[in-house]
Amino acid sequence: QVELSESGGGLAQAGGSLRLSCRASGNIFSPNIMGWYRQAPGDERELVAIISSGSSTNYADSVKGRFTISRDNAKNTVYLQMNSLKPEDTSVYYCKFTELRGWTDYWGQGTQVTVSS
């Protein structure tokens, strides 16, 4: 079992920055993928960025060049640095941990990000 603890988020103005953190605890095995997804009211949950335990990354086109995902494997923590925020980035952001041995997914509780224009 893996538990995810998210922090960061909150309110920012357009053009501003926020940083999200997510720490995984429990039975952590590699290889794995950690990442961030977001879901706005009435919309489906969508991928924002993911990073493997080998540090390969993938980003949604909408955030490329603005968001940066990174991880500290020693701390089992993934970060999402969000710069040049736009009102359309407003959403609940969810951390996800995927254990690749059994393709088991774990989700965080979500953290609200609100960007004002």
Side-chain angles (χ1 to χ4, degrees), residues 25-92:
S25 60
N27 296 323
I28 307 298
F29 295 102
S30 292
N32 59 67
I33 297 173
M34 297 186 75
W36 294 94
Y37 291 70
R38 66 187 182 187
Q39 186 171 21
D43 291 343
E44 293 187 355
R45 194 169 296 187
E46 63 177 4
L47 179 146
V48 176
I50 56 174
I51 184 168
S52 71
S53 48
S55 296
S56 297
T57 60
N58 190 35
Y59 293 90
D61 288 343
S62 59
V63 306
K64 283 181 180 177
R66 299 188 299 121
F67 292 9
T68 302
I69 191 169
S70 61
R71 65 186 290 166
D72 184 334
N73 287 333
K75 297 180 179 179
N76 293 318
T77 299
V78 63
Y79 306 96
L80 185 68
Q81 179 66 43
M82 304 184 292
N83 298 329
S84 302
L85 284 163
K86 303 176 181 180
E88 50 263 44
D89 294 319
T90 295
S91 192
V92 178

Side-chain angles (χ1 to χ4, degrees), residues 17 21 80 88 102 115:
S17 299
S21 299
L80 185 68
E88 50 263 44
V115 183

